[in-house]
Amino acid sequence: MLNRAAVEGTALAVLALSMAIVWISHRRASRPESDGGYTTREEVRFEIGRLQSAAYRWLTTTNHRDIGLLYIAFGTVAALWGGMDAMMLRTELLTPPADIWTPETYNALFTTHGLTMLIFFVLPVFFGIGNYVLPLLIGADDMAFPRVNAVGFWLLPPALLLVRMGLLIQVTGQVLNLFLPEETIRFFLTVREVSIGWTLYAPLSVQQPNPQIDMLLLGLHLSGIATTVGAINFIATVAYERAEDVTWGNLDIFSWNMLVTSGLALFAFPLLGSALVMLLLDRNLGTTFFATQGGGPILWQHLFWFWGHPEVYILFLPATGLMSTILPKFVGRKLFGYQFIVYSTLGLGVLSFGVWAHHMFTTSADPRVKLSFMAISIAIAVPSAIKIFNWITTMWDGDIRLSAPFILCAGGIGTFIIGGVTGVFLAVIPIDILYHGTYYVVGHFHLIVVGIIPFLMIAASYYWYPLITGRWYDTRLAKFQSLLIIFGSFVTFMTLLVIGGLGLPRRQAIYPPEYQLAQQIATVGGYVIGLSALLWLYNMLASYWQGTPVTTTDPWGLKRTGQFTREWQWFEKRMIERYDMEPSEPETRRRSYAPEGEPTGLAGGVGTVAQTVSRNAWMAAVGGFVGTVLMSGGLLTAILIGVLDPASFGEISELVGLGANQTIGAVLFLVGGTVTWPLIFLAFSEYLPGRLLFETGLVFATIISSGFAIAFYTGQSGLAFVGYLTFVLVSHWAYGLGLTVTFQFLKSDEALRSDGGTFGR
């Protein structure tokens, strides 16, 4: 068995050294040495003085942008540390037996990976992004409480050290053991990483004697205080520091999401802190909050998950805010359904506090209570689905720029759809009981927390990198890295969904040999994710010194579509003041299409909804009749040459209970073509591809022709089958053209008669 402390400590040291080498080498290359290439003593003193000045500045700064960068740097370090745990976990799972790490070491890696990534990576990074850009977005000079903002950050490093102290003490003990006897360093050899699972379930967390558990609980409590302080600051900033022209009605979506996220944290983290204090008292003072004779072990689960499920949305909502902010910039369209996005965000915030017990469907809780949580857990999918539909509609028919931020946004939508749908399945009690202890839960959860959340973090780093550094990153490497992390995520977590569906238990280092290939595929995917993360880190560090300087005040060309938002206006002002640049103006401008501002439906007219619908309906019916007549000619020809059996129409009559009568069936077919299909076309035409109306009609006709081909198939084969499919397709195309051309003619004629208006899509 390998020594976990030695391996992880060495790997982290190598990673830190590599980052330092990249930083120093690119920094040196960016500015030439004086004095023939030799560093003078005066230069050394100057560099030392600069380092001292920089250290003092970063340790005492209260500037929101500096604090934001500190948050991001801290979160990145935590991500690398927790990611190292994940790579070691996946390495163990390459083989069925526990032959790389011991089962206890596997459990310790599982525990520290979860806590590090959830508490010290995701939220600090989002708080960092929020600190940097939120005041710029709302026109504020700084955060509401700058000093409190700094205190909130500086509580996090000692909290992380307390939580991960076990590894540091283990490494120290192994080094000291080379020089000192075991008796004198017994403490260093006794403390080890916590191995009770990241949920810290009682009674195991109460009874295990490892003193590192107490330090972990104190560290988590300290991190909760830091998060609560930061949340209060965000709420106060959004509520009271907005510019005069920034109202609740035009507040940007990212600020809305940070506001709701902070509200969730304000209610959730103090409860976690109380539960941690109770656990500390049980461990050290003999209280019985979570003992069988007291509150019981289930009480810990209730308290933990009352924090734990809002925590999921505390991590998720900032990512959706970034998606709603960044995606429109690269498709040339304003965000579709601003109000619905805001309301869905508020709905998620409220509902997130009513679903915690779906993590406890396998416990002995009252079935009636479980049923209520199941209902809310299913209902919470609705506001998430609203976001998905609005993002897709925002992209619809847009002018897409295939940049790294857009690739990550599109990939994030894909992973979230799969992760969200599998979550709906798990919200159903019988299914959850079946899959609760399997890798299916791991796949579902990680498709979101490794999918949309880190994807949007990286997308934000690319999108705002010119604003933060004044330089461009390596765009080709960024696109490659983006595709790599999307590919790795799908390979890893889709594989886990499959083996979880087959029943493979999670949280175990040992598994049946028949799952080895699948675990190896998932591990390779995990390595790909790790490689992509390192490529991103290299790009960020190297580009800081050697990236191409930004030579325009509008790096992304946002003025062209009217999306030059406040943070970029601040950037333009800074570039003009620092470098005397001229404001960039695009050669051409076009309106950033706002779908919600367009005429509704195909009508595009005026009047009440009922009047609009009735006008559309009769004109569509006329178009449907014309299309049906045209279609009938093709179908009649198919009957005459023997590739379509007219007896099939009798099945329509039989289907409605009128017997197998071909004449009645043909009449019903005509009615359906005149009424039913045109109304369906009206309802879904906006969601069909095609820039012109008749193009949309052809797509619609092609889709419904597949249903006709299946319903009226009577066993044709060979050339008869080819002829059957050809006539079906051509006939439906005739129907689509007749429907859309007639409808468009009637609408144009009505518009001209009403006020000389025009109609078009």
Side-chain angles (χ1 to χ4, degrees):
M1 297 290 180
L2 297 177
N3 187 303
R4 179 263 177 104
V7 172
E8 188 167 7
T10 302
L12 289 172
V14 170
L15 182 59
L17 181 62
S18 301
M19 291 169 58
I21 291 173
V22 169
W23 180 264
I24 293 172
S25 61
H26 285 83
R27 179 174 179 272
R28 281 182 172 275
S30 67
R31 57 188 193 86
E33 296 285 355
S34 61
D35 195 22
Y38 297 97
T39 303
T40 64
R41 183 172 299 176
E42 289 75 14
E43 284 183 312
V44 172
R45 290 173 181 166
F46 177 72
E47 287 295 331
I48 293 175
R50 284 184 59 191
L51 288 174
Q52 291 175 340
S53 176
Y56 179 79
R57 173 205 163 193
W58 287 104
L59 289 171
T60 59
T61 183
T62 58
N63 183 280
H64 71 95
R65 298 194 304 277
D66 292 344
I67 298 296
L69 293 177
L70 287 171
Y71 266 116
I72 293 171
F74 172 81
T76 302
V77 171
L80 294 172
W81 201 345
M84 188 71 67
D85 293 332
M87 295 301 102
M88 296 169 72
L89 283 170
R90 293 309 317 173
T91 302
E92 168 57 54
L93 294 171
L94 282 170
T95 56
D99 52 3
I100 298 177
W101 320 113
T102 64
E104 183 182 8
T105 299
Y106 179 90
N107 292 338
L109 289 167
F110 168 76
T111 302
T112 54
H113 165 68
L115 291 172
T116 303
M117 300 301 268
L118 288 178
I119 295 179
F120 296 102
F121 161 45
V122 179
L123 199 55
V125 170
F126 281 141
F127 269 28
I129 296 173
N131 262 278
Y132 199 102
V133 302
L134 187 144
L136 304 179
L137 289 169
I138 65 175
D141 295 330
D142 206 320
M143 297 292 284
F145 308 113
R147 291 183 176 84
V148 174
N149 195 29
V151 171
F153 167 75
W154 286 111
L155 290 175
L156 284 175
L160 177 61
L161 290 177
L162 282 170
V163 170
R164 300 303 306 263
M165 187 65 72
L167 178 65
L168 302 177
I169 292 176
Q170 278 184 279
V171 173
T172 303
Q174 291 176 11
V175 172
L176 292 176
N177 197 29
L178 299 174
F179 310 100
L180 300 173
E182 291 186 6
E183 292 77 13
T184 59
I185 56 171
R186 187 172 301 278
F187 170 77
F188 292 96
L189 300 178
T190 301
V191 175
R192 58 192 183 279
E193 285 277 43
V194 176
S195 58
I196 56 177
W198 75 273
T199 54
L200 309 175
Y201 276 170
L204 184 60
S205 55
V206 176
Q207 297 172 351
Q208 196 172 90
N210 184 4
Q212 170 58 23
I213 296 178
D214 297 312
M215 287 190 283
L216 181 144
L217 296 176
L218 290 171
L220 294 179
H221 191 68
L222 194 60
S223 72
I225 296 173
T227 302
T228 304
V229 166
I232 293 172
N233 216 346
F234 276 114
I235 294 171
T237 301
V238 175
Y240 296 107
E241 298 295 321
R242 303 191 311 273
E244 292 183 359
D245 58 336
V246 179
T247 66
W248 294 114
N250 62 17
L251 182 66
D252 66 280
I253 293 295
F254 180 66
S255 297
W256 267 115
N257 278 268
M258 289 304 298
L259 179 66
V260 176
T261 297
S262 301
L264 298 184
L266 195 59
F267 285 98
F269 274 89
L271 184 134
L272 175 66
S274 301
L276 293 171
V277 170
M278 293 160 69
L279 191 57
L280 276 168
L281 293 175
D282 274 12
R283 284 182 55 82
N284 297 284
L285 298 181
T287 56
T288 58
F289 290 110
F290 307 118
T292 305
Q293 63 272 27
I298 295 295
L299 176 60
W300 169 261
Q301 293 193 36
H302 278 293
L303 295 175
F304 181 86
W305 288 117
F306 189 84
W307 162 82
H309 205 84
E311 166 70 1
V312 173
Y313 291 95
I314 290 171
L315 307 180
F316 168 68
L317 286 178
T320 66
L322 290 174
M323 176 77 78
S324 300
T325 299
I326 297 172
L327 180 65
K329 307 300 191 299
F330 295 94
V331 299
R333 301 180 69 174
K334 290 183 179 178
L335 179 68
F336 178 83
Y338 167 88
Q339 290 182 336
F340 289 98
I341 290 285
V342 172
Y343 292 145
S344 68
T345 302
L346 294 171
L348 284 172
V350 173
L351 291 175
S352 67
F353 282 100
V355 296
W356 80 85
H358 71 215
H359 295 274
M360 302 167 60
F361 282 163
T362 56
T363 66
S364 58
D366 190 316
R368 293 168 295 181
V369 175
K370 292 180 183 178
L371 188 63
S372 66
F373 281 100
M374 182 182 78
I376 301 175
S377 298
I378 295 173
I380 203 172
V382 174
S384 297
I386 289 173
K387 294 181 182 293
I388 289 290
F389 285 120
N390 283 26
W391 294 334
I392 294 175
T393 308
T394 301
M395 289 190 291
W396 191 266
D397 203 25
D399 182 17
I400 293 176
R401 286 187 284 171
L402 205 61
S403 60
F406 174 79
I407 291 172
L408 288 162
C409 286
I413 292 174
T415 56
F416 178 52
I417 289 174
I418 301 173
V421 170
T422 51
V424 175
F425 294 153
L426 290 172
V428 180
I429 294 174
I431 297 176
D432 182 79
I433 290 174
L434 185 62
Y435 291 116
H436 186 83
T438 70
Y439 271 97
Y440 190 88
V441 175
V442 181
H444 147 70
F445 181 67
H446 282 77
L447 278 168
I448 296 174
V449 296
V450 183
I452 185 172
I453 292 174
F455 288 7
L456 267 298
M457 288 178 178
I458 298 173
S461 71
Y462 289 142
Y463 174 58
W464 280 310
Y465 194 81
L467 180 141
I468 295 173
T469 66
R471 292 180 180 267
W472 282 106
Y473 52 85
D474 186 334
T475 55
R476 292 181 62 188
L477 178 60
K479 291 179 182 178
F480 175 74
Q481 181 270 329
S482 301
L483 293 171
L484 203 62
I485 194 171
I486 294 171
F487 173 78
S489 298
F490 272 102
V491 168
T492 302
F493 306 119
M494 290 299 291
T495 303
L496 297 186
L497 280 176
V498 172
I499 61 178
L502 295 175
L504 182 63
R506 56 180 171 140
R507 297 173 176 166
Q508 296 183 16
I510 302 171
Y511 59 89
E514 57 265 29
Y515 291 99
Q516 181 173 4
L517 178 60
Q519 288 282 28
Q520 290 173 341
I521 293 173
T523 297
V524 171
Y527 290 160
V528 170
I529 296 172
L531 174 62
S532 68
L534 294 178
L535 290 176
W536 168 82
L537 183 62
Y538 171 80
N539 201 353
M540 295 294 100
L541 294 176
S543 299
Y544 181 82
W545 292 107
Q546 294 197 330
T548 304
V550 175
T551 57
T552 174
T553 61
D554 184 12
W556 292 111
L558 301 178
K559 290 183 178 180
R560 186 173 64 91
T561 55
Q563 298 187 89
F564 197 64
T565 45
R566 283 181 176 273
E567 80 275 25
W568 292 108
Q569 295 170 19
W570 170 85
F571 173 76
E572 180 177 66
K573 182 179 179 181
R574 187 177 66 166
M575 297 296 280
I576 292 172
E577 292 175 350
R578 284 190 176 185
Y579 306 109
D580 199 26
M581 284 188 179
E582 292 293 329
S584 301
E585 296 297 335
E587 295 181 1
T588 60
R589 290 179 182 269
R590 67 179 180 83
R591 184 169 62 90
S592 180
Y593 173 50
E596 62 267 38
E598 289 293 299
T600 57
L602 288 173
V606 295
T608 65
V609 174
Q611 292 172 335
T612 302
V613 170
S614 63
R615 287 201 303 268
N616 281 347
W618 79 261
M619 286 183 286
V622 174
F625 177 76
V626 174
T628 304
V629 171
L630 295 175
M631 180 182 184
S632 299
L635 296 179
L636 182 60
T637 304
I639 292 172
L640 292 176
I641 65 175
V643 296
L644 176 62
D645 188 355
S648 303
F649 290 95
E651 296 180 3
I652 301 177
S653 175
E654 190 175 17
L655 186 64
V656 297
L658 298 177
N661 189 303
Q662 296 180 24
T663 304
I664 295 176
V667 172
L668 291 173
F669 180 79
L670 290 173
V671 172
T674 303
V675 179
T676 307
W677 288 114
L679 292 177
I680 294 175
F681 173 68
L682 284 178
F684 291 99
S685 59
E686 292 295 330
Y687 303 96
L688 296 170
R691 291 182 177 273
L692 301 176
L693 189 63
F694 79 91
E695 292 176 358
T696 307
L698 288 177
V699 172
F700 177 74
T702 303
I703 293 172
I704 64 175
S705 70
S706 60
F708 181 97
I710 295 171
F712 286 79
Y713 177 68
T714 54
Q716 298 94 328
S717 60
L719 290 176
F721 180 66
V722 174
Y724 169 69
L725 292 180
T726 302
F727 275 99
V728 167
L729 188 60
V730 172
S731 299
H732 280 79
W733 282 349
Y735 174 82
L737 287 173
L739 168 65
T740 54
V741 171
T742 303
F743 182 88
Q744 190 162 357
F745 170 77
L746 293 173
K747 278 305 301 176
S748 300
D749 182 63
E750 183 191 48
L752 289 172
R753 283 188 288 104
S754 62
D755 194 14
T758 58
F759 167 76
R761 291 196 64 203

